[in-house]
Amino acid sequence: MQLDWLLQPLLTQLNTGVLVLDAQYRVVFFNQFIARRADVDLAKVQGNLLEDVFADLPLAWLRRKLDSVLHLQVPAFSSWEQRQYIIKLAHLRPLSSDSQYMAQNCSMLPLTAPDGVSRYICLLIEDATDAYVYQQQLQQSVIQLEHANRTDGLTGVYNRRYWQQQLGYEIQRAGRYQHPLSLLLFDLDKFKDLNDQYGHQGGDFVLVELSRLIGSLLRDTDLFGRYGGEEFGIILPETGMTGALQVANRICDTVARHKMLYNQQTLKATISIGVACYFAQSVDELIQRADTALYCAKRQGRNRAVAYQPELEGYLKKVK
Amino acid sequence: MTELHFTDVQRDCLQELVNVAMGQASDKLARYLGTFVHLQVPAIALVEAALLSQHFASRYQQQSATLVSLGFFGDQGLRGETIMLYQLANVGVIAQLLGYSDDAVSEAEMLTDISSVLTTTFLSGLAEQLENSFSYAAPRILSSRDQYFADKLAYTAEQWQLALQVDIRYQLTDYSFNCDMILLIPGEAVLRLRQTLDNILADF
């Protein structure tokens, strides 16, 4: 059976771009797949140099690939993951893809004419836009998941698990490089009263509002997390006791002066802060010290910051 | 289970074909790279695929090995996968020769390009010796810059029965570049390969 008639309709309807170049990289042939997507007419450009037919080609890169195909007579490949596209071609996913051009997998194959002498190169171009789009979506989802996995759902600060993990890393770093590190633990004063008076939604509103306010007072390198309920922690890298107390007092004052509007009512809240400095303790010990200082701040009348000192342990025992 | 062993005569024949293919490859590469390329007579060994990873794990101990895979298909059911194994530190030499130093190309692309040039140049010569021709799948990186290459090699090798291990040492005029190439061939393709070798031997 004579099958030659098959070639033309197959090349025309093939869902793969076929582009043939001669040894001088002049365009010999391309199929309809390429003609329609690049909006070029083969009859008008046949015999022209590749770079004169298709704009903005990565020429140096492409020549190196084509040279190897021609001289070694072996195929070369290009993946969309490494080079998203070679020829600027339109694709059929203009809405779902953030790229204007078709992502392409390309095989470059050596061809020899029936005369046994003339060398050609065939470029097979496959549309990988779907794979590209899925990968973009996947990456986006991974970023969102990573964010959700370390964030407290209500306040948007770090959740306890992530925050405490970071405290571990910061302690290691401070220990290794002999850098200062401080920890603030704070608690909303009389939060139960707030909840009783304004309902839990009112209480939540205050937590969100104060988290935002306190977050705005911190440096980018400080790590702000929700420890639980109305208790929060702030890790201050590269900060000794003097600096940490300054930060703590500024936070205390700013919160006390801050007026919040909830259901046409003006709300005010205060916080108490315990401050502890890293001095070769474990994560748990450091948190314990900040907690002791926080307890003392409450005992001393709230709305204040107290620095941890070993004497506070005795004070703690007395009041217990 | 099918007996996959080669007789001594078959093995010698294969070694000879590999030598010729390697000679052709070095000639082509030398002309292409514009530098003298010396390819030592490669030592071939037929090993059980399952034992491969142990062998290479000890050989590339504590080094960052790069593994790039490239599949090939020929006529008469001859098919397989080649794996190029080399140290990342060696890549710079050949990359420079291939002209990669002048522009920004991702490391991944450089690795796949180097591997595909080296393997397909050899394989197309071998196919010719076997009176066959191969088509190739795009190369893909199995492992790079991590310490799990032995696991990944074991996983890949698991899917094949026989491995033809070809130790290649490329030496260029001013540089030396060592790498290993492994041809992984499934059982039925081994039978085809043996048949082809017998045919070639019968012609002598």
Side-chain angles (χ1 to χ4, degrees), chain A residues 60-61 64-65 67-69 71-78 82-83 107, chain B residues 28 32 98-100 103 105 109 112-113 117 120-121 124 136-139:
Chain A
W61 172 87
R64 187 172 54 230
K65 290 264 191 192
D67 285 351
S68 78
V69 176
H71 296 117
L72 294 171
Q73 288 292 298
V74 292
F77 302 93
S78 166
Q82 286 144 23
R83 185 167 296 265
S107 306
Chain B
K28 273 190 187 176
Y32 175 61
L98 287 173
Y100 281 107
D103 55 358
V105 169
E109 183 169 357
T112 51
D113 270 10
V117 162
T120 54
T121 311
S124 64
Y136 306 95

Short mmCIF file of all heavy atoms in Angstrom, two decimals, chain A residues 60-61 64-65 67-69 71-78 82-83 107, chain B residues 28 32 98-100 103 105 109 112-113 117 120-121 124 136-139:
data_model
loop_
_atom_site.label_atom_id
_atom_site.label_comp_id
_atom_site.label_asym_id
_atom_site.label_seq_id
_atom_site.Cartn_x
_atom_site.Cartn_y
_atom_site.Cartn_z
N ALA A 60 22.87 32.67 20.90
CA ALA A 60 24.14 32.04 21.28
C ALA A 60 23.87 30.62 21.79
O ALA A 60 24.53 29.65 21.41
CB ALA A 60 24.83 32.85 22.35
N TRP A 61 22.87 30.52 22.62
CA TRP A 61 22.49 29.24 23.21
C TRP A 61 22.04 28.26 22.13
O TRP A 61 22.46 27.10 22.10
CB TRP A 61 21.36 29.50 24.22
CG TRP A 61 20.73 28.28 24.79
CD1 TRP A 61 21.14 27.57 25.89
CD2 TRP A 61 19.58 27.59 24.30
NE1 TRP A 61 20.31 26.51 26.10
CE2 TRP A 61 19.33 26.50 25.15
CE3 TRP A 61 18.71 27.81 23.23
CZ2 TRP A 61 18.28 25.62 24.97
CZ3 TRP A 61 17.66 26.93 23.04
CH2 TRP A 61 17.44 25.85 23.90
N ARG A 64 24.81 26.93 19.82
CA ARG A 64 25.64 25.91 20.45
C ARG A 64 24.94 24.54 20.35
O ARG A 64 25.56 23.53 20.04
CB ARG A 64 25.90 26.28 21.90
CG ARG A 64 26.89 25.35 22.58
CD ARG A 64 27.28 25.87 23.94
NE ARG A 64 26.11 26.11 24.74
CZ ARG A 64 25.90 27.24 25.40
NH1 ARG A 64 26.78 28.20 25.38
NH2 ARG A 64 24.81 27.39 26.12
N LYS A 65 23.64 24.55 20.61
CA LYS A 65 22.87 23.30 20.51
C LYS A 65 22.89 22.77 19.08
O LYS A 65 23.14 21.59 18.84
CB LYS A 65 21.42 23.55 20.92
CG LYS A 65 21.22 23.84 22.39
CD LYS A 65 20.82 22.58 23.11
CE LYS A 65 20.37 22.93 24.53
NZ LYS A 65 20.23 21.75 25.36
N ASP A 67 24.92 23.46 16.65
CA ASP A 67 26.28 23.06 16.25
C ASP A 67 26.56 21.62 16.69
O ASP A 67 27.13 20.84 15.94
CB ASP A 67 27.33 23.99 16.88
CG ASP A 67 27.38 25.34 16.18
OD1 ASP A 67 26.72 25.48 15.12
OD2 ASP A 67 28.05 26.26 16.69
N SER A 68 26.16 21.30 17.92
CA SER A 68 26.46 19.96 18.41
C SER A 68 25.65 18.93 17.61
O SER A 68 26.15 17.85 17.33
CB SER A 68 26.19 19.85 19.91
OG SER A 68 24.82 19.73 20.18
N VAL A 69 24.43 19.26 17.26
CA VAL A 69 23.61 18.33 16.47
C VAL A 69 24.26 18.09 15.11
O VAL A 69 24.40 16.96 14.64
CB VAL A 69 22.17 18.88 16.28
CG1 VAL A 69 21.36 17.96 15.36
CG2 VAL A 69 21.49 19.04 17.62
N HIS A 71 27.47 18.73 14.08
CA HIS A 71 28.82 18.18 14.04
C HIS A 71 28.96 16.80 14.66
O HIS A 71 29.78 16.01 14.25
CB HIS A 71 29.80 19.16 14.68
CG HIS A 71 29.90 20.45 13.92
ND1 HIS A 71 29.52 21.65 14.45
CD2 HIS A 71 30.24 20.69 12.64
CE1 HIS A 71 29.66 22.60 13.54
NE2 HIS A 71 30.10 22.05 12.44
N LEU A 72 28.16 16.53 15.66
CA LEU A 72 28.25 15.22 16.29
C LEU A 72 27.22 14.25 15.72
O LEU A 72 27.28 13.04 15.96
CB LEU A 72 28.05 15.33 17.80
CG LEU A 72 29.13 16.09 18.57
CD1 LEU A 72 28.70 16.33 20.01
CD2 LEU A 72 30.43 15.30 18.55
N GLN A 73 26.25 14.81 14.96
CA GLN A 73 25.16 13.99 14.42
C GLN A 73 24.43 13.22 15.53
O GLN A 73 24.12 12.03 15.37
CB GLN A 73 25.70 13.04 13.34
CG GLN A 73 26.07 13.76 12.04
CD GLN A 73 24.83 14.30 11.32
OE1 GLN A 73 23.96 13.57 10.91
NE2 GLN A 73 24.76 15.63 11.17
N VAL A 74 24.22 13.90 16.61
CA VAL A 74 23.43 13.32 17.70
C VAL A 74 22.36 14.33 18.10
O VAL A 74 22.53 15.53 17.86
CB VAL A 74 24.30 12.97 18.93
CG1 VAL A 74 25.25 11.84 18.62
CG2 VAL A 74 25.04 14.20 19.44
N PRO A 75 21.27 13.87 18.69
CA PRO A 75 20.21 14.81 19.05
C PRO A 75 20.58 15.70 20.25
O PRO A 75 21.47 15.35 21.03
CB PRO A 75 19.04 13.89 19.41
CG PRO A 75 19.66 12.60 19.78
CD PRO A 75 20.90 12.47 18.97
N ALA A 76 19.93 16.83 20.34
CA ALA A 76 20.05 17.69 21.53
C ALA A 76 18.64 17.94 22.04
O ALA A 76 17.67 17.81 21.29
CB ALA A 76 20.74 19.00 21.18
N PHE A 77 18.55 18.30 23.30
CA PHE A 77 17.23 18.46 23.91
C PHE A 77 17.17 19.75 24.71
O PHE A 77 18.18 20.25 25.19
CB PHE A 77 16.93 17.29 24.84
CG PHE A 77 16.97 15.95 24.16
CD1 PHE A 77 18.15 15.22 24.16
CD2 PHE A 77 15.87 15.46 23.51
CE1 PHE A 77 18.21 13.99 23.52
CE2 PHE A 77 15.91 14.23 22.88
CZ PHE A 77 17.08 13.50 22.88
N SER A 78 15.96 20.24 24.83
CA SER A 78 15.75 21.40 25.69
C SER A 78 14.43 21.20 26.42
O SER A 78 13.44 20.80 25.82
CB SER A 78 15.72 22.67 24.84
OG SER A 78 15.21 23.73 25.60
N GLN A 82 14.05 24.18 32.09
CA GLN A 82 15.32 24.91 32.08
C GLN A 82 15.25 26.16 31.22
O GLN A 82 15.81 27.19 31.56
CB GLN A 82 16.42 23.98 31.56
CG GLN A 82 16.80 22.94 32.61
CD GLN A 82 17.13 21.61 31.99
OE1 GLN A 82 17.49 21.54 30.83
NE2 GLN A 82 16.99 20.56 32.75
N ARG A 83 14.59 26.06 30.09
CA ARG A 83 14.38 27.24 29.24
C ARG A 83 12.93 27.19 28.82
O ARG A 83 12.52 26.28 28.10
CB ARG A 83 15.31 27.19 28.02
CG ARG A 83 15.25 28.43 27.17
CD ARG A 83 16.38 28.45 26.19
NE ARG A 83 17.66 28.53 26.87
CZ ARG A 83 18.31 29.68 27.10
NH1 ARG A 83 17.80 30.81 26.67
NH2 ARG A 83 19.46 29.68 27.72
N SER A 107 13.13 18.77 20.90
CA SER A 107 14.17 17.81 20.50
C SER A 107 14.76 18.31 19.19
O SER A 107 14.01 18.72 18.30
CB SER A 107 13.59 16.42 20.26
OG SER A 107 12.87 16.00 21.37
N LYS B 28 34.85 12.10 16.89
CA LYS B 28 33.81 13.12 16.70
C LYS B 28 33.94 14.25 17.72
O LYS B 28 33.87 15.42 17.39
CB LYS B 28 32.43 12.49 16.88
CG LYS B 28 31.84 11.87 15.64
CD LYS B 28 30.39 11.53 15.96
CE LYS B 28 29.70 10.74 14.86
NZ LYS B 28 28.34 10.38 15.28
N TYR B 32 34.70 18.21 17.20
CA TYR B 32 33.70 19.17 17.65
C TYR B 32 34.27 20.14 18.68
O TYR B 32 34.04 21.34 18.63
CB TYR B 32 32.50 18.41 18.23
CG TYR B 32 31.46 19.31 18.84
CD1 TYR B 32 30.81 20.26 18.06
CD2 TYR B 32 31.14 19.21 20.19
CE1 TYR B 32 29.85 21.08 18.62
CE2 TYR B 32 30.19 20.02 20.74
CZ TYR B 32 29.54 20.96 19.96
OH TYR B 32 28.61 21.78 20.52
N LEU B 98 32.63 23.18 26.05
CA LEU B 98 31.40 23.25 25.28
C LEU B 98 30.94 24.69 25.08
O LEU B 98 29.93 24.95 24.45
CB LEU B 98 30.29 22.43 25.96
CG LEU B 98 30.43 20.91 25.88
CD1 LEU B 98 29.36 20.24 26.73
CD2 LEU B 98 30.31 20.42 24.45
N GLY B 99 31.68 25.64 25.65
CA GLY B 99 31.37 27.04 25.44
C GLY B 99 30.32 27.59 26.39
O GLY B 99 29.59 28.51 26.07
N TYR B 100 30.23 27.01 27.58
CA TYR B 100 29.21 27.45 28.52
C TYR B 100 29.65 28.60 29.41
O TYR B 100 28.88 29.11 30.18
CB TYR B 100 28.75 26.30 29.41
CG TYR B 100 27.78 25.39 28.74
CD1 TYR B 100 28.16 24.13 28.33
CD2 TYR B 100 26.48 25.81 28.49
CE1 TYR B 100 27.26 23.30 27.70
CE2 TYR B 100 25.59 24.99 27.86
CZ TYR B 100 25.98 23.73 27.46
OH TYR B 100 25.10 22.92 26.83
N ASP B 103 27.91 32.53 28.80
CA ASP B 103 26.57 33.07 29.10
C ASP B 103 25.92 32.31 30.24
O ASP B 103 26.39 31.27 30.70
CB ASP B 103 25.69 33.05 27.85
CG ASP B 103 25.60 31.66 27.23
OD1 ASP B 103 26.26 30.73 27.77
OD2 ASP B 103 24.89 31.51 26.25
N VAL B 105 23.73 29.95 31.82
CA VAL B 105 22.94 28.76 31.57
C VAL B 105 22.81 28.05 32.90
O VAL B 105 23.75 28.01 33.68
CB VAL B 105 23.66 27.84 30.55
CG1 VAL B 105 22.99 26.49 30.47
CG2 VAL B 105 23.68 28.48 29.19
N GLU B 109 20.78 22.55 33.04
CA GLU B 109 20.86 22.43 31.60
C GLU B 109 22.26 22.00 31.17
O GLU B 109 22.44 21.19 30.26
CB GLU B 109 20.48 23.75 30.94
CG GLU B 109 20.48 23.64 29.44
CD GLU B 109 19.87 24.84 28.74
OE1 GLU B 109 19.38 25.76 29.43
OE2 GLU B 109 19.90 24.86 27.52
N THR B 112 22.64 18.23 31.80
CA THR B 112 21.94 17.37 30.85
C THR B 112 22.58 17.46 29.47
O THR B 112 22.69 16.46 28.77
CB THR B 112 20.44 17.73 30.75
OG1 THR B 112 20.33 19.13 30.53
CG2 THR B 112 19.68 17.34 31.98
N ASP B 113 23.05 18.63 29.10
CA ASP B 113 23.71 18.79 27.80
C ASP B 113 24.99 17.97 27.72
O ASP B 113 25.22 17.25 26.75
CB ASP B 113 24.06 20.26 27.56
CG ASP B 113 22.94 20.99 26.86
OD1 ASP B 113 21.85 20.40 26.74
OD2 ASP B 113 23.14 22.14 26.42
N VAL B 117 25.46 14.81 25.17
CA VAL B 117 26.51 14.82 24.14
C VAL B 117 27.42 13.60 24.29
O VAL B 117 27.67 12.88 23.33
CB VAL B 117 27.35 16.13 24.21
CG1 VAL B 117 28.66 15.96 23.47
CG2 VAL B 117 26.57 17.29 23.61
N THR B 120 25.14 10.13 23.76
CA THR B 120 24.57 9.86 22.42
C THR B 120 25.68 9.72 21.38
O THR B 120 25.53 8.96 20.44
CB THR B 120 23.59 10.96 21.98
OG1 THR B 120 24.24 12.23 22.06
CG2 THR B 120 22.34 10.96 22.83
N THR B 121 26.79 10.41 21.57
CA THR B 121 27.90 10.26 20.63
C THR B 121 28.40 8.82 20.65
O THR B 121 28.62 8.20 19.62
CB THR B 121 29.06 11.21 21.01
OG1 THR B 121 28.54 12.51 21.21
CG2 THR B 121 30.09 11.27 19.90
N SER B 124 25.30 6.28 19.45
CA SER B 124 24.98 6.22 18.02
C SER B 124 26.06 5.41 17.29
O SER B 124 25.76 4.71 16.33
CB SER B 124 24.80 7.63 17.43
OG SER B 124 25.98 8.35 17.50
N TYR B 136 16.32 8.62 21.03
CA TYR B 136 16.61 8.93 22.43
C TYR B 136 15.51 9.74 23.09
O TYR B 136 14.86 10.56 22.44
CB TYR B 136 17.92 9.73 22.53
CG TYR B 136 19.07 9.05 21.85
CD1 TYR B 136 19.42 9.37 20.54
CD2 TYR B 136 19.80 8.06 22.50
CE1 TYR B 136 20.47 8.73 19.90
CE2 TYR B 136 20.84 7.42 21.88
CZ TYR B 136 21.18 7.76 20.57
OH TYR B 136 22.21 7.11 19.96
N ALA B 137 15.33 9.49 24.36
CA ALA B 137 14.42 10.33 25.15
C ALA B 137 15.25 11.48 25.72
O ALA B 137 16.47 11.37 25.83
CB ALA B 137 13.81 9.51 26.27
N ALA B 138 14.58 12.56 26.05
CA ALA B 138 15.30 13.71 26.61
C ALA B 138 15.98 13.31 27.92
O ALA B 138 15.42 12.54 28.70
CB ALA B 138 14.34 14.86 26.85
N PRO B 139 17.20 13.80 28.15
CA PRO B 139 17.90 13.43 29.39
C PRO B 139 17.22 14.05 30.61
O PRO B 139 16.58 15.09 30.51
CB PRO B 139 19.29 14.05 29.18
CG PRO B 139 19.08 15.14 28.20
CD PRO B 139 17.95 14.73 27.32
#
